[in-house]
């Protein structure tokens, strides 16, 4: 018998949660589990067309459907970071699980008043579980870790063409994600400003992602004297993330995340899975992604000079960096996700 699951998410964007859902659909499709996913976006924030197109391109129409209303007999309904989604789920007779991915504390206040019908909270990493547990205190319910993953073990079968990038003279340094204060893009700006003064044009910083409403990225590049020595790219479609990462890897580039907080660090895991060496702020979720090589792949958060120093080390030891990166990707496979999913469902049925 097929298990039917509906995920509810507030906004269809080009963000990490949407990529997680596509990855899960791919993993379920390739597994022996008989699972059908539905995804209900409460609002289209510009990503719905791309999400549908990716489902079509990946041949997942039999495993993942985008629905416009909660019309169906689902075994599980799983609202993700959505209080409105919880209220919708409570109108059904389905079992309800909650999923929390947001690293913005103000956006997870809903966890403090959970309806008893919600059987568990799912989070994407052990470190995030610890953070959520400390916040909820006595209000805590059952929290399960369902680690994010990258289906690189499935994508090995595909021969996706990478982007063709220009023959830049500088080493490409890729920032991929929302450009806002929590993701801490200004720290990379400061680091690149330091590097540009000491080593002109050694690095080519590339900022790629949606810009928060209060951020003026072009003016920030000008203020840092990086305009003309850097690139800004808007958010890329779902299917273009991996080709972009591979293209930067082919140019002997480096992925950088100076983030102040992460629930998992999906973009960093995607970079690692593509063989692109990462340099990450030394927050706990980042350290977990690169253990036991955190000395090579992390820098001290709040210290842009540390960021520059470690970038120079990675460039000077690039072949070693690539070898260490390839060691890490086994932690993010779809096979690991399927095992964790089965463990989650078993634990719920045996509670």
């Amino acid at each position: 018998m097929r298990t039917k699951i509906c995920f509810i998410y507030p906004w269809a964007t080009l963000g990490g949660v949407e990529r997680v859902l596509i990855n899960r659909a791919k993993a379920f499709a390739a597994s022996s589990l008989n699972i059908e996913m539905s995804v209900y976006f409460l609002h289209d924030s510009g990503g719905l067309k791309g999400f549908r197109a990716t489902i079509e391109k990946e041949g997942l129409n039999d495993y993942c459907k985008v629905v416009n209303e909660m019309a169906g007999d689902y075994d599980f309904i799983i609202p993700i970071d959505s209080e409105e989604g919880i209220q919708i789920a409570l109108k059904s007779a389905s079992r309800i699980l909650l999923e929390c991915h947001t690293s913005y504390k103000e956006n997870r206040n809903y966890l403090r008043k959970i309806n008893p019908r919600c059987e568990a909270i799912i989070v994407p990493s052990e470190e995030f579980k610890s953070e959520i547990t400390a916040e909820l205190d006595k209000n805590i319910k059952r929290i399960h870790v369902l680690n994010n993953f990258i289906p690189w073990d499935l994508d090995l079968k595909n021969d996706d063409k990478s982007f063709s990038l220009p023959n830049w003279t500088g080493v490409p340094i890729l920032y991929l994600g929302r450009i806002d204060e929590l993701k801490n893009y200004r720290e990379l700006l400061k680091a690149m400003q330091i590097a540009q003064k000491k080593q002109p044009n050694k690095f080519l910083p590339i900022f790629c992602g949606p810009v928060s409403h209060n951020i003026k990225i072009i003016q920030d590049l000008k203020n840092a004297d990086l305009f003309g020595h850097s690139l800004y790219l808007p958010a890329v479609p779902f299917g273009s993330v991996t080709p972009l990462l591979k293209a930067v890897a082919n140019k002997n580039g480096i992925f950088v995340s100076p983030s102040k907080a992460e629930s998992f660090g999906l973009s960093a895991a995607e970079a690692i899975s593509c063989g692109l060496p990462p340099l990450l702020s030394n927050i706990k979720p980042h350290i977990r992604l690169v253990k036991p090589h955190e000395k090579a792949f992390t820098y001290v958060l709040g210290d842009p000079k540390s960021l520059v120093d470690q970038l120079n080390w990675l460039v000077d030891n690039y072949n070693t960096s690539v070898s260490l990166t390839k060691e890490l990707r086994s932690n993010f496979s779809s096979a690991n996700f399927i095992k964790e999913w089965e463990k989650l469902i078993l634990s719920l049925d045996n509670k």
Side-chain angles (χ1 to χ4, degrees):
M1 177 179 270
R2 174 165 280 199
T3 300
K4 295 184 178 181
I5 304 166
C6 184
F7 294 94
I8 304 177
Y9 192 56
W11 315 277
T13 67
L14 296 174
V17 170
E18 292 87 341
R19 298 207 299 276
V20 166
L21 292 172
I22 290 170
N23 289 346
R24 289 181 182 178
K26 292 173 72 170
F28 287 143
S31 76
S32 60
L33 303 178
N34 193 7
I35 292 178
E36 179 184 302
M37 282 177 52
S38 293
V39 181
Y40 179 24
F41 293 109
L42 302 181
H43 310 281
D44 182 6
S45 298
L48 185 56
K49 182 178 179 180
F51 189 90
R52 290 182 185 274
T54 301
I55 294 300
E56 179 76 28
K57 179 183 176 184
E58 297 285 350
L60 296 172
N61 288 324
D62 291 336
Y63 301 93
C64 184
K65 304 181 185 302
V66 178
V67 297
N68 298 319
E69 58 181 353
M70 290 297 298
D73 183 18
Y74 300 108
D75 297 284
F76 291 97
I77 297 177
I78 308 179
I80 304 174
D81 292 323
S82 174
E83 192 165 1
E84 182 181 352
I86 294 172
Q87 297 307 313
I88 293 171
L90 289 171
K91 296 177 182 178
S92 75
S94 304
R95 297 174 71 179
I96 302 172
L97 306 176
L98 306 186
E99 195 159 354
C100 181
H101 283 252
T102 181
S103 51
Y104 300 86
K105 287 187 177 182
E106 64 274 15
N107 291 345
R108 52 184 190 244
N109 287 331
Y110 70 92
L111 293 177
R112 298 183 180 279
K113 45 183 178 180
I114 298 174
N115 188 283
R117 279 191 57 200
C118 302
E119 297 182 40
I121 302 169
I122 300 170
V123 295
S125 71
E126 287 288 349
E127 290 75 16
F128 196 53
K129 177 181 177 179
S130 298
E131 187 174 344
I132 295 294
T133 300
E135 288 178 9
L136 295 183
D137 193 26
K138 295 180 180 179
N139 296 317
I140 192 168
K141 293 182 69 78
R142 294 160 61 90
I143 300 183
H144 292 263
V145 175
L146 190 62
N147 280 287
N148 282 344
F149 70 101
I150 312 299
W152 62 267
D153 48 335
L154 302 177
D155 292 337
L156 287 175
K157 304 171 187 175
N158 300 330
D159 186 24
D160 288 335
K161 302 290 185 185
S162 293
F163 291 145
S164 178
L165 299 178
N167 291 320
W168 296 314
T169 55
V171 176
I173 305 299
L174 178 64
Y175 172 108
L176 178 66
R178 176 166 291 280
I179 296 174
D180 66 12
E181 301 300 342
L182 188 69
K183 298 296 184 182
N184 201 23
Y185 78 104
R186 294 187 194 276
E187 188 146 286
L188 180 56
L189 277 176
K190 291 177 183 176
M192 293 295 93
Q193 189 175 21
I194 292 170
Q196 181 66 11
K197 289 179 180 178
K198 292 185 176 181
Q199 305 159 299
N201 300 320
K202 178 175 181 177
F203 301 116
L204 178 69
I206 305 168
F207 293 86
C208 179
V211 181
S212 291
H213 69 280
N214 59 332
I215 302 295
K216 296 181 179 178
I217 183 62
I218 300 302
Q219 187 59 51
D220 287 340
L221 292 172
K222 290 179 179 179
N223 292 343
D225 296 322
L226 293 172
F227 192 74
H229 306 284
S230 60
L231 292 175
Y232 166 66
L233 304 174
V236 296
F238 300 106
S240 298
V241 172
T242 294
L244 174 61
L245 291 168
K246 288 182 178 179
V248 175
N250 289 338
K251 294 293 184 181
N252 293 340
I254 297 169
F255 172 92
V256 174
S257 173
S259 185
K260 297 176 183 177
E262 292 286 346
S263 60
F264 178 80
L266 184 68
S267 292
E270 288 174 320
I272 291 167
S273 297
C274 291
L276 178 60
L279 180 55
L280 314 176
S281 57
N282 63 342
I283 58 176
K284 288 182 179 179
H286 278 166
I287 290 173
R288 178 178 179 270
L289 291 179
V290 296
K291 273 186 171 295
H293 304 307
E294 63 269 30
K295 185 175 180 180
F297 294 131
T298 62
Y299 77 95
V300 179
L301 177 65
D303 186 352
K305 184 179 181 301
S306 169
L307 196 163
V308 175
D309 290 343
Q310 199 57 31
L311 274 181
N312 282 322
W313 187 91
L314 291 172
V315 171
D316 292 343
N317 300 273
Y318 197 79
N319 289 339
T320 298
S321 302
V322 171
S323 296
L324 296 179
T325 299
K326 290 180 177 179
E327 288 180 17
L328 296 172
R329 72 177 185 174
S330 61
N331 298 325
F332 313 127
S333 70
S334 65
N336 287 347
F337 164 74
I338 292 298
K339 291 177 183 177
E340 288 189 350
W341 177 266
E342 291 178 312
K343 182 179 177 181
L344 167 65
I345 298 302
L346 183 63
S347 70
L348 292 173
D349 290 341
N350 291 337
K351 68 178 181 179

